[in-house]
């Protein structure tokens, strides 16, 4: 049935339905108010009663406001109650503390956010679906707006102690899609005949499709480059119901609203390069623009006190930048220690990096006696300590391998394949038996919540250093004649941040002690790393949910440029030395990439093209024949929807990615050594792929490679080159009981 025109103060549903769910026909529309249809639905009866009440209310004049208040009082009470729940639950979700506290209470915080989302959603639905006067609706919306502004003002921080901005993002990521879906449902319900029937049919089809997709993604969750996670009896299994709902979301869903994932090119094209004599040459597209060169400081020799990011590491770098005018009429010669400069032409800029000094001018490092890490110089060294010399094995290569370690911060095993499909495809081609072999770890388990514990385990072998002045693993390599280099692509210094407090003096320079080359300055420039406000915000800096760009390119592209220069310079020099039958110095390079460390998990896909090209170049150049390449992560993503609300996200957090390519001769030696000296006569590579291993084993792998061709047998047994014990528990592997996510089924 339908009604005649009402006054502007009244409100009726957009459409009225009969008992069959269809709109009233034209004959019903023309009937008088007092004439009832032969069949009247319950909803029509309510509408009629409401209209009659409204008509009477208008006739009473001054009593109209009181009647309106009486009519809407129950709804206003409900709305007030819902808003109270919304504010209370949101405030409770702002509970803060240190990293451990947030980790232990993350489930509670997530539940409180969900309650706040649901309560505000129900309030919004009541405002528009219920029959409330427009003034009441506007007033309530104004109250909600004021509450939201106050809550934002109260806490919009981006740290563990004040994490309001992250709460806002998570709230909006749930609230906005949910309310859009409800609004769409209501519009379609009003516009389409028998919409409910179509809705449930669509819901059933969608449920079947989603279930089939989840079965597929659950199977994909276990897959790797060449193998799959095997449910081997006696080995630990991931705990809880692993249902990867996050895989149902298309790529880009979580941060599409934050803007493009591409970097906008600079307006002026600049060609700049440095030749072997250190002469900088620049060609600017616009001939009328003045050209300037910002010479960036070399940070390798800086003491610990100057590398504290909380005390202004980036500010100190900016203070020491030297700007010089460039003229093509006279040579512009760089200082021998300069690794990077910024060339500026008008409003455009570009970065030029180089490896300097050259290998030919780099002296062999002699470690100081008080910190020499070589076994014969160690105070605990015993001539009788068990060691093995590869020369004892017949027909084995004695040359030392190069080592490259790429650390992808906060990238789980599944996340690597989810966001880096091109790189995953190229990885398969690195497995070339006879030249080099690839293997990955399916039960690789982190030993701590964040980068702190996991990288200390990998780089020092201890979570809590037992000795003062601990040195990172690259110092071990340098002490043994390796050329060492490190790329910090996030304006950070690992040694200062994670082990700096363990040194007797903050005047000590870990970089000068352990590295020949370091590139950090370009990644502290304010165009990428803000020099005011919070440098680790959601829309600027290393943890940004937007594309990480610097001068028209991805930040990681500048890092890969320098990595390519290092590989080229070091490999060519080594080849010349070998051709002259001289002692060729191998190299050890570590590089950290931060793209995975942000709440949406989407920025990581910007790394895919560059990482795939790097892997292809390693494969095609033949470097993998004498290089151990390790690509690994410290932990999986520990923020965002997947981690906060899903068990699959918590599993991913404990299961970082790790894959290793080893030369054929090293693979062959490991197999033979295990067969002859191991307690279990199985391939260490095939076995370890399916066994519980941690960053502690990664550390001992680094130690064995540094010592090659003579190594400590104890380190060998604890490395990835030796078969780790079957059926290891978290306790045996050094994983805390409360942190363990991979348990043997009988003890789960």
């Amino acid at each position: 049935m339908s009604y005649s025109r009402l006054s502007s103060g009244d409100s009726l549903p957009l459409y009225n339905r009969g008992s069959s769910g269809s709109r009233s026909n034209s004959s019903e529309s023309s009937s008088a108010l007092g004439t009832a249809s032969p069949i009247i639905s319950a909803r029509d009866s309510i509408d009629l009663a409401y209209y009659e009440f409204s008509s009477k209310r208008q006739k009473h004049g001054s009593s109209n406001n009181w009647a309106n208040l009486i009519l809407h009082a129950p709804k206003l009470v409900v709305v007030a109650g819902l808003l109270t729940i919304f504010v209370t639950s949101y405030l409770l979700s702002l509970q803060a503390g240190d990293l451990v506290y947030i980790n232990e209470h993350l489930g509670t915080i997530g539940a409180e956010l969900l309650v706040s989302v649901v309560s505000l959603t129900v309030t919004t639905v009541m405002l528009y679906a219920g029959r409330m006067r427009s003034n009441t609706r506007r007033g309530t919306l104004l109250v909600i707006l004021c509450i939201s502004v106050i809550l934002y003002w109260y806490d919009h921080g981006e740290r563990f102690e004040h994490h309001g901005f992250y709460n806002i993002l998570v709230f909006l990521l749930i609230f906005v899609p949910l309310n859009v879906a409800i609004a769409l449902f209501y519009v379609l319900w009003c516009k389409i005949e028998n919409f409910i029937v179509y809705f449930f049919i669509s819901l059933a089809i969608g449920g079947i499709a989603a279930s089939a997709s989840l079965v597929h993604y659950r199977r994909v969750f276990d897959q790797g480059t060449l193998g799959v996670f095997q449910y081997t009896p006696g080995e630990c299994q991931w705990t809880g119901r692993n249902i990867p709902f996050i895989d149902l979301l298309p790529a880009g869903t979580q941060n599409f609203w934050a803007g493009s994932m591409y970097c906008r090119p600079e307006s002026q094209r600049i060609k700049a390069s440095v030749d072997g004599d250190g002469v900088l040459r620049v060609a600017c597209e616009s001939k009328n623009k003045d050209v300037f060169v910002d010479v960036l400081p070399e940070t390798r020799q800086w003491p610990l006190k100057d590398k504290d990011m909380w005390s202004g590491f980036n500010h100190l770098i900016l203070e020491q930048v030297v700007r010089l005018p460039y003229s093509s009429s006279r040579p512009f010669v760089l200082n021998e220690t300069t690794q990077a400069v910024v060339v500026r032409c008008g409003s455009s800029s570009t970065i030029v990096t180089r490896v300097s000094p050259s290998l030919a001018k780099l002296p062999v490092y002699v470690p100081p006696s008080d910190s020499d890490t070589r076994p014969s110089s160690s105070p605990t060294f015993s001539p009788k300590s068990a060691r093995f010399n590869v020369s004892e094995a017949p027909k084995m290569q004695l040359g030392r391998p190069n080592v490259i370690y790429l650390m992808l911060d906060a990238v789980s095993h599944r996340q690597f394949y989810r966001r880096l499909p091109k790189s995953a495809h190229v990885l398969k081609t690195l497995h070339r038996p006879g030249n080099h072999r690839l293997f990955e770890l399916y039960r690789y388990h982190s030993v701590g919540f964040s980068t702190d514990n996991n990288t200390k385990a990998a780089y020092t072998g201890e979570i809590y250093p037992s000795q003062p002045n601990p040195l990172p693993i690259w110092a071990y390599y340098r002490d043994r004649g390796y050329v060492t280099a490190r790329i910090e692509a996030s304006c950070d210094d690992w040694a200062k941040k994670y082990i700096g407090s363990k040194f007797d003096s903050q005047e000590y320079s870990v970089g000068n002690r352990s590295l020949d080359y370091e590139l950090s300055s370009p990644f502290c420039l304010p165009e990428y790393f803000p020099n005011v406000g919070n440098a680790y915000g959601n829309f600027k800096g290393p943890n940004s949910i937007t594309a990480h760009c610097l001068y028209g390119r991805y930040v990681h592209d500048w890092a890969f440029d320098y990595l390519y220069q290092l590989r080229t310079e070091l490999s060519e020099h080594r080849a010349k030395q070998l051709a002259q039958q001289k002692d060729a110095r191998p190299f050890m390079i570590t590089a950290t990439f931060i793209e995975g460390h942000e709440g949406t998990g989407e920025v990581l896909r910007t790394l895919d093209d560059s990482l795939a090209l790097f892997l292809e170049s390693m494969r095609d150049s033949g470097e993998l024949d004498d290089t151990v390449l390790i690509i690994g992560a410290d932990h999986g993503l520990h923020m965002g929807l997947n981690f906060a609300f899903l068990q699959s996200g918590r599993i991913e957090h404990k299961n970082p990615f790790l894959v290793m390519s080893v030369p054929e001769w090293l693979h062959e030696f490991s197999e033979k050594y295990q067969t002859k000296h191991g307690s279990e006569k199985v391939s260490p590579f095939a076995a370890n792929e399916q066994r519980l291993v941690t960053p502690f084993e990664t550390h001992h792998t680094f130690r064995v490679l540094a010592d090659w061709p003579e190594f400590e047998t104890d380190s060998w047994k604890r490395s990835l080159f030796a078969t780790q014990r079957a059926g290891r528990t978290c306790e045996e592997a050094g994983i805390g009981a409360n942190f363990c996510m991979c348990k043997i089924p009988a003890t789960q």
Side-chain angles (χ1 to χ4, degrees):
M1 63 186 300
S2 62
Y3 306 108
S4 58
R5 182 177 299 172
L6 303 178
S7 64
S8 59
D10 293 320
S11 173
L12 284 176
L14 294 176
Y15 297 95
N16 299 291
R17 301 170 182 265
S19 58
S20 64
S22 62
R23 300 184 188 87
S24 303
N25 55 38
S26 58
S27 62
E28 289 177 321
S29 301
S30 62
S31 63
L33 264 178
T35 306
S37 176
I39 300 177
I40 185 168
S41 68
R43 177 168 180 166
D44 290 336
S45 299
I46 295 173
D47 292 341
L48 179 59
Y50 175 78
Y51 175 77
E52 291 174 347
F53 181 88
S54 301
S55 300
K56 292 177 181 179
R57 184 184 64 198
Q58 293 178 13
K59 293 178 181 179
H60 285 80
S62 61
S63 63
N64 183 45
N65 293 333
W66 287 102
N68 181 60
L69 181 63
I70 294 172
L71 179 68
H72 290 286
K75 294 180 181 179
L76 291 175
V77 171
V78 173
V79 168
L82 288 170
L83 289 179
T84 302
I85 295 173
F86 158 63
V87 173
T88 304
S89 57
Y90 187 84
L91 287 174
L92 289 173
S93 74
L94 294 175
Q95 57 182 302
D98 58 12
L99 178 62
V100 176
Y101 180 89
I102 296 297
N103 182 33
E104 292 176 349
H105 295 82
L106 191 62
T108 303
I109 293 173
E112 290 161 349
L113 268 176
L114 277 178
V115 171
S116 66
V117 169
V118 172
S119 58
L120 188 59
T121 298
V122 175
T123 303
T124 306
V125 171
M126 285 190 63
L127 290 178
Y128 286 94
R131 299 181 181 89
M132 302 185 72
R133 289 176 62 89
S134 57
N135 289 337
T136 303
R137 186 182 301 121
R138 292 191 196 101
T140 306
L141 290 175
L142 182 60
V143 170
I144 293 174
L145 178 61
C146 292
I147 291 174
S148 302
V149 172
I150 292 172
L151 290 175
Y152 175 81
W153 174 82
Y154 176 73
D155 186 353
H156 55 276
E158 299 176 274
R159 296 179 179 173
F160 291 117
E161 297 80 7
H162 300 283
H163 51 83
F165 199 89
Y166 293 103
N167 288 45
I168 293 172
L169 283 180
V170 174
F171 183 94
L172 293 176
L173 283 172
I174 303 173
F175 179 81
V176 173
L178 176 61
N179 282 263
V180 169
I182 292 174
L184 182 63
F185 174 87
Y186 183 74
V187 170
L188 294 176
W189 179 61
C190 294
K191 295 288 186 182
I192 300 177
E193 299 279 354
N194 301 316
F195 173 72
I196 294 297
V197 176
Y198 300 143
F199 173 75
F200 280 107
I201 292 175
S202 302
L203 196 65
I205 296 174
I208 294 172
S211 299
S213 297
L214 285 174
V215 171
H216 166 71
Y217 287 125
R218 180 62 188 86
R219 185 171 60 252
V220 168
F221 192 95
D222 293 332
Q223 293 179 354
T225 302
L226 300 170
V228 65
F229 182 99
Q230 298 176 4
Y231 292 85
T232 308
E235 295 294 340
C236 71
Q237 316 295 341
W238 301 118
T239 61
R241 292 176 61 83
N242 182 9
I243 306 177
F245 287 103
I246 200 70
D247 282 313
L248 295 177
L249 298 178
T253 301
Q254 296 185 68
N255 73 340
F256 72 93
W257 47 271
S260 173
M261 283 290 103
Y262 298 95
C263 295
R264 185 173 62 183
E266 295 287 90
S267 59
Q268 300 285 334
R269 285 185 294 180
I270 306 172
K271 294 182 179 180
S273 61
V274 182
D275 63 21
D277 297 322
V279 178
L280 175 68
R281 291 181 171 82
V282 178
C284 185
E285 186 178 39
S286 177
K287 304 300 183 181
N288 300 323
K289 300 290 185 181
D290 292 331
V291 179
F292 294 92
V293 177
D294 289 349
V295 181
L296 304 184
E298 162 71 344
T299 59
R300 182 183 65 86
Q301 299 182 10
W302 286 14
L304 289 167
K305 67 180 181 64
D306 290 342
K307 289 190 169 185
D308 187 352
M309 66 177 185
W310 303 116
S311 298
F313 177 40
N314 61 317
H315 289 279
L316 190 57
I317 286 176
L318 297 180
E319 290 173 4
Q320 297 194 23
V321 171
V322 178
R323 174 164 293 185
L324 300 172
Y326 175 85
S327 175
S328 58
S329 62
R330 60 181 183 274
F332 193 104
V333 183
L334 299 179
N335 186 289
E336 191 175 63
T337 60
T338 299
Q339 302 295 311
V341 298
V342 178
V343 177
R344 303 188 185 276
C345 177
S347 61
S348 300
S349 303
T350 190
I351 298 174
V352 182
T353 57
R354 64 166 184 164
V355 178
S356 183
S358 65
L359 260 292
K361 298 179 180 179
L362 187 70
V364 176
Y365 180 72
V366 179
S369 58
D370 61 344
S371 63
D372 195 339
T373 64
R374 291 174 294 183
S376 58
S377 303
S378 173
T380 60
F381 173 72
S382 171
K384 297 182 180 179
S385 59
R387 298 182 65 81
F388 184 86
N389 195 313
V390 179
S391 62
E392 299 175 15
K395 300 181 180 179
M396 288 308 303
Q397 180 168 329
L398 302 180
R400 294 177 294 173
N402 300 316
V403 179
I404 298 178
Y405 178 56
L406 305 187
M407 206 282 276
L408 311 181
D409 201 333
V411 177
S412 68
H413 182 272
R414 174 68 188 119
Q415 182 75 339
F416 183 91
Y417 293 100
R418 179 187 292 126
R419 293 290 181 255
L420 303 172
K422 294 180 181 178
S423 301
H425 177 74
V426 178
L427 269 182
K428 295 182 180 181
T429 66
L430 301 191
H431 186 68
R432 293 183 174 179
N435 297 100
H436 38 80
R437 299 187 183 234
L438 188 80
F439 76 100
E440 65 183 307
L441 306 178
Y442 293 93
R443 287 177 171 83
Y444 191 55
H445 199 302
S446 54
V447 295
F449 182 83
S450 63
T451 302
D452 191 344
N453 287 357
N454 293 298
T455 52
K456 283 195 290 189
Y459 295 159
T460 70
E462 300 176 300
I463 293 178
Y464 307 103
S466 57
Q467 300 293 328
N469 305 322
L471 291 173
I473 190 64
W474 39 92
Y476 283 69
Y477 282 82
R478 197 184 193 202
D479 289 356
R480 289 155 178 77
Y482 272 76
V483 178
T484 56
R486 180 160 177 79
I487 303 171
E488 294 272 10
S490 60
C491 191
D492 203 354
D493 184 76
W494 183 88
K496 169 57 185 176
K497 187 174 182 179
Y498 296 112
I499 60 174
S501 62
K502 301 299 181 181
F503 284 83
D504 296 334
S505 172
Q506 293 300 295
E507 296 292 337
Y508 190 81
S509 174
V510 178
N512 192 45
R513 169 64 182 82
S514 59
L515 292 170
D516 293 299
Y517 303 102
E518 177 181 272
L519 187 69
S520 183
S521 293
F523 311 111
C524 296
L525 294 170
E527 291 87 345
Y528 166 60
F529 194 90
N531 60 341
V532 293
N534 182 16
Y536 295 92
N538 287 294
F539 298 97
K540 190 73 172 176
N543 295 348
S544 170
I545 64 175
T546 61
H548 299 179
C549 300
L550 181 60
Y551 304 141
R553 300 178 67 197
Y554 292 123
V555 170
H556 58 253
D557 284 335
W558 300 114
F560 275 116
D561 282 353
Y562 188 66
L563 180 56
Y564 176 80
Q565 292 169 339
L566 282 169
R567 289 168 45 213
T568 303
E569 171 82 15
L570 300 176
S571 297
E572 290 178 354
H573 179 76
R574 190 181 190 195
K576 291 178 181 178
Q577 294 296 98
L578 289 174
Q580 298 173 10
Q581 297 183 343
K582 295 181 180 179
D583 183 24
R585 299 176 63 185
F587 58 84
M588 195 271 189
I589 303 173
T590 60
T592 299
F593 297 90
I594 202 75
E595 281 73 13
H597 196 283
E598 51 85 26
T600 67
E602 302 284 2
V603 177
L604 181 63
R605 57 196 171 98
T606 64
L607 182 67
D608 198 16
D609 288 340
S610 299
L611 180 58
L613 287 174
F614 165 78
L615 294 174
E616 289 176 346
S617 68
M618 289 290 296
R619 176 199 64 199
D620 298 339
S621 66
E623 293 173 74
L624 293 177
D625 291 349
D626 65 348
T627 299
V628 175
L629 172 65
I630 303 176
I631 303 175
D634 47 356
H635 54 81
L637 191 58
H638 51 13
M639 60 184 85
L641 300 177
N642 193 28
F643 175 68
F645 299 105
L646 300 176
Q647 178 67 9
S648 61
R650 297 184 180 97
I651 292 174
E652 287 192 42
H653 171 233
K654 309 297 194 302
N655 181 213
F657 179 76
L658 194 138
V659 66
M660 182 162 74
S661 172
V662 297
E664 181 66 28
W665 54 267
L666 183 55
H667 178 274
E668 180 184 348
F669 173 81
S670 302
E671 301 255 315
K672 291 182 178 179
Y673 188 90
Q674 179 67 33
T675 301
K676 185 175 181 179
H677 301 281
S679 58
E680 195 175 355
K681 313 302 181 183
V682 296
S683 167
F685 301 100
N688 290 337
E689 280 194 332
Q690 302 296 335
R691 295 186 179 176
L692 183 63
V693 290
T694 70
F696 290 117
E697 282 72 51
T698 305
H699 173 76
H700 286 282
T701 303
F702 284 137
R703 291 282 294 269
V704 168
L705 293 171
D707 282 333
W708 191 271
E710 183 179 358
F711 53 82
E712 296 180 6
T713 55
D714 182 59
S715 277
W716 181 274
K717 291 176 183 177
R718 299 186 61 185
S719 75
L720 297 174
F721 298 123
T723 302
Q724 298 304 308
R725 195 179 70 81
R728 285 178 96 194
T729 64
C730 284
E731 182 180 5
E732 294 169 336
I735 305 167
N738 294 333
F739 195 74
C740 180
M741 190 60 73
C742 193
K743 300 180 180 180
I744 298 174
T747 63
Q748 279 186 7

